[in-house]
C-alpha cells in the first residue's frame, strides 16, 4: 500500500479551465498537482469544466464552458458539485481530492475518503463550515499560518502551493520601477503600495483584476485619485505579459492588510529573480526569506526604505529559493503522503470489528405492564 500507485479523483472548481489562460489560482494549482501526480505514476481522473489541458488519464466534464463570468453566484458550483457526486459514485478510486466549496457537503456519501484543500481564510463562517463537516473530510492547509487560524479542525497535513519554475523567465538585470500585482481589494493594500512607491521616489506599475462591484468601488475610492505621473494603471495582466513585468521590476510590492493564506504572486515574483517587499502578515514568513529573497517589514511606514534597500539582494537567491521549496514535484510528494495517511486511516476504520452486541432478551410479563 505504501508504494503502489494511487487512483485519485481530482475535483476542480467550475470557474476556469485547467490550466487557466489567465486568472484562476486554484485551477492553476490543480493543473500542476494533477500533472505532477501523473508523473509520479498515479492514476488521476479530473472532474472539471471546459477543456482539459492536463495530463490526467481521463476527464469528466460538468460544464462544456467554464463559468468564470458567473463567479460569485452560488448555483454554478452547486450544480458542478452535484454532477461531480454522480460521477464519483461510478468511480473506483482510492481518494477524492476536492478543491470546491460546495463539494465537501456530499463527502459523507462517498465510498472513498475526501481530502479538501482549504484555499481561503478560515476565520468566521469558513471555519465554522469545516467544523460542521467534522471528520467527513480531511483538510489540508496551504500554510502553517492558515492552519493556525483554526487548529481544532480535522487537519491531515500542510502542503505549500507551487509553480513550474521553467514556465517563468529569470532576469538578473532589473529596471528602476516597482510592481504591484494582485486583486483590486483593500486587503491586498494597493493604495499602500502606491503611497510607499511615491514616498521612495519610484515609479510604480499596478496590475490587478478589477471586475466585481466591490473591486470597482475600491478602485474609485482609493486608487483612481492616486493615479498620475509615476503611477501607472495597467489593469488585469496575464500570461507572458505578466511574467515579463514580474521579471523586469525592481521588486514586487505586496503590502498585505490581512492574514494571506499563501500568496502565489510572491513565488511568481521570486522565481523571476525579483525580490518581494512586504508586510509580516499571514504566510509571508513561510514564503519570503527576509534579507535574502525579500524584505519583510512590520509597518507600512517602513516600506519606502525597504524599496531602496531591496536592490542589494541577489536575484539568483530568489529563484533558487522557489526551485528548492515550491515546485510541483514537492507539492505532489506532500499530497501523496496525505493521501496515503488518509487512506490508511479509512481502511483501519472500516476493518475494525464492530463491538459485540448482547442478544435481545424477550420482555417479561412484568416489563409489559403499563406505567402508573
Amino acid at each position: 500500500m505504501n508504494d503502489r500507485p494511487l487512483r485519485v479523483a481530482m475535483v476542480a472548481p467550475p470557474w476556469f479551465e485547467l490550466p487557466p489562460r489567465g486568472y484562476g489560482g486554484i485551477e492553476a494549482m490543480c493543473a500542476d498537482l494533477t500533472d505532477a501526480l501523473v508523473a509520479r505514476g498515479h492514476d488521476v481522473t479530473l472532474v472539471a469544466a471546459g477543456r482539459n489541458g492536463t495530463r490526467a488519464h481521463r476527464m469528466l466534464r460538468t460544464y462544456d464552458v467554464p463559468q468564470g463570468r458567473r463567479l460569485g453566484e452560488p448555483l454554478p458550483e452547486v450544480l458542478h458539485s452535484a454532477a461531480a457526486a454522480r460521477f464519483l459514485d461510478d468511480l473506483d478510486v482510492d481518494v477524492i481530492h476536492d478543491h470546491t466549496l460546495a463539494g465537501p457537503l456530499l463527502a459523507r456519501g462517498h465510498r472513498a475518503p475526501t481530502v479538501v484543500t482549504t484555499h481561503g481564510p478560515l476565520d468566521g463562517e469558513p471555519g465554522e463550515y469545516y467544523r460542521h463537516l467534522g471528520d467527513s473530510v480531511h483538510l489540508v492547509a496551504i500554510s502553517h499560518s492558515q492552519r493556525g487560524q483554526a487548529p481544532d479542525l480535522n487537519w491531515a497535513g500542510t502542503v505549500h502551493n507551487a509553480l513550474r519554475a521553467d514556465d517563468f523567465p529569470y532576469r538578473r538585470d532589473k529596471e528602476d520601477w516597482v510592481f504591484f500585482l494582485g486583486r483590486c481589494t483593500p486587503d491586498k493594500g494597493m493604495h499602500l503600495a502606491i503611497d510607499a512607491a511615491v514616498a521612495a521616489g519610484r515609479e510604480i506599475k499596478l496590475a490587478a483584476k478589477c471586475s466585481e462591484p466591490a473591486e470597482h468601488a475600491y478602485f474609485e475610492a482609493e486608487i483612481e485619485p492616486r493615479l498620475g505621473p509615476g503611477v501607472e494603471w495597467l489593469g488585469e495582466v496575464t500570461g507572458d505579459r505578466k511574467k515579463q513585468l514580474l521579471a523586469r521590476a525592481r521588486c514586487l510590492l505586496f503590502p498585505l492588510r490581512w492574514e494571506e493564506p499563501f500568496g502565489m504572486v510572491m513565488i511568481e515574483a521570486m522565481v523571476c529573480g525579483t525580490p518581494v517587499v512586504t508586510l509580516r502578515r499571514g504566510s509571508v514568513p513561510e514564503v519570503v526569506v527576509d534579507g535574502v529573497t525579500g524584505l519583510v517589514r512590520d509597518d507600512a511606514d517602513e516600506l519606502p526604505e525597504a524599496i531602496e534597500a531591496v536592490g542589494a539582494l541577489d536575484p539568483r537567491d530568489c529563484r533558487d529559493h522557489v526551485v528548492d521549496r515550491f515546485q510541483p514535484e514537492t507539492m505532489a510528494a506532500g499530497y501523496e503522503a496525505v493521501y496515503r495517511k488518509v487512506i490508511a486511516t479509512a481502511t483501519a476504520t472500516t476493518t475494525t470489528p464492530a463491538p459485540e452486541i448482547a442478544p435481545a432478551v424477550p420482555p417479561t410479563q412484568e416489563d409489559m405492564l403499563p406505567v402508573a
Side-chain angles (χ1 to χ4, degrees):
M1 178 65 190
N2 288 333
D3 57 1
R4 73 166 178 84
L6 299 177
R7 298 162 299 174
V8 182
M10 188 73 62
V11 184
W15 310 117
F16 305 102
E17 61 191 15
L18 272 66
R21 299 178 190 271
Y23 187 77
I26 297 176
E27 287 81 1
M29 177 266 189
C30 288
D32 287 344
L33 177 57
T34 294
D35 288 353
L37 288 171
V38 171
R40 292 176 66 86
H42 302 297
D43 183 285
V44 181
T45 299
L46 177 64
V47 182
R51 71 176 182 94
N52 176 23
T54 75
R55 296 175 60 191
H57 294 87
R58 66 200 61 81
M59 179 183 180
L60 300 175
R61 186 174 289 102
T62 59
Y63 282 97
D64 289 336
V65 178
Q67 299 297 296
R69 61 186 175 79
R70 299 176 65 190
L71 184 62
E73 296 181 26
L75 201 53
E77 183 164 311
V78 171
L79 289 174
H80 171 78
S81 298
R86 292 186 64 187
F87 291 146
L88 294 170
D89 284 343
D90 297 327
L91 287 180
D92 185 15
V93 296
D94 298 305
V95 65
I96 299 163
H97 191 169
D98 200 323
H99 298 267
T100 70
L101 187 62
L105 287 168
L106 304 173
R108 292 187 191 279
H110 298 322
R111 292 190 299 271
T114 299
V115 169
V116 175
T117 299
T118 55
H119 289 282
L122 295 174
D123 54 337
E125 290 183 335
E128 285 303 304
Y129 171 62
Y130 290 118
R131 287 187 185 93
H132 285 306
L133 293 177
D135 61 3
S136 68
V137 295
H138 306 269
L139 304 178
V140 178
I142 56 176
S143 67
H144 298 295
S145 169
Q146 183 198 45
R147 184 167 174 171
Q149 294 175 7
D152 59 307
L153 297 181
N154 190 37
W155 294 110
T158 300
V159 182
H160 287 135
N161 286 337
L163 53 72
R164 302 177 190 179
D166 291 344
D167 290 348
F168 288 79
Y170 169 70
R171 176 169 169 160
R172 184 170 188 85
D173 298 327
K174 303 298 179 181
E175 298 179 9
D176 202 24
W177 48 269
V178 301
F179 191 38
F180 175 92
L181 176 65
R183 288 181 288 108
C184 195
T185 57
D187 55 19
K188 296 293 186 180
M190 195 192 318
H191 63 289
L192 298 179
I194 297 172
D195 293 347
V198 171
R202 299 281 179 177
E203 177 187 349
I204 183 169
K205 299 182 187 294
L206 310 166
K209 183 180 84 72
C210 188
S211 57
E212 299 174 32
E215 294 169 342
H216 285 297
Y218 172 68
F219 178 84
E220 292 171 3
E222 298 290 347
I223 305 306
E224 194 168 31
R226 287 175 164 85
L227 299 181
V231 182
E232 183 181 1
W233 170 252
L234 303 177
E236 184 175 359
V237 297
T238 60
D240 288 340
R241 186 185 181 206
K242 179 186 79 169
K243 294 172 183 178
Q244 290 299 326
L245 287 165
L246 283 168
R248 291 162 50 201
R250 175 183 179 86
C251 67
L252 175 76
L253 197 48
F254 199 52
L256 292 168
R257 301 184 68 203
W258 73 308
E259 304 309 312
E260 175 78 62
F262 187 78
M264 285 293 296
V265 66
M266 292 188 287
I267 62 173
E268 289 177 343
M270 291 186 296
V271 80
C272 294
T274 301
V276 180
V277 173
T278 184
L279 296 177
R280 199 181 311 276
R281 299 292 298 268
S283 64
V284 164
E286 298 174 50
V287 179
V288 178
V289 181
D290 187 27
V292 179
T293 70
L295 296 175
V296 182
R297 297 294 183 257
D298 295 307
D299 191 275
D301 291 341
E302 302 174 81
L303 294 176
E305 172 273 330
I307 291 173
E308 292 305 305
V310 79
L313 302 185
D314 189 340
R316 175 51 64 178
D317 289 339
C318 297
R319 186 173 179 89
D320 289 348
H321 174 59
V322 176
V323 171
D324 290 342
R325 293 192 55 190
F326 301 109
Q327 285 292 277
E329 295 77 10
T330 304
M331 178 174 63
Y335 276 108
E336 180 184 328
V338 169
Y339 298 159
R340 295 192 186 280
K341 171 184 173 182
V342 166
I343 293 166
T345 300
T347 302
T349 301
T350 56
T351 57
T352 300
E356 292 188 7
I357 301 175
V361 178
T364 64
Q365 190 69 25
E366 186 179 62
D367 292 331
M368 299 174 68
L369 292 176
V371 178

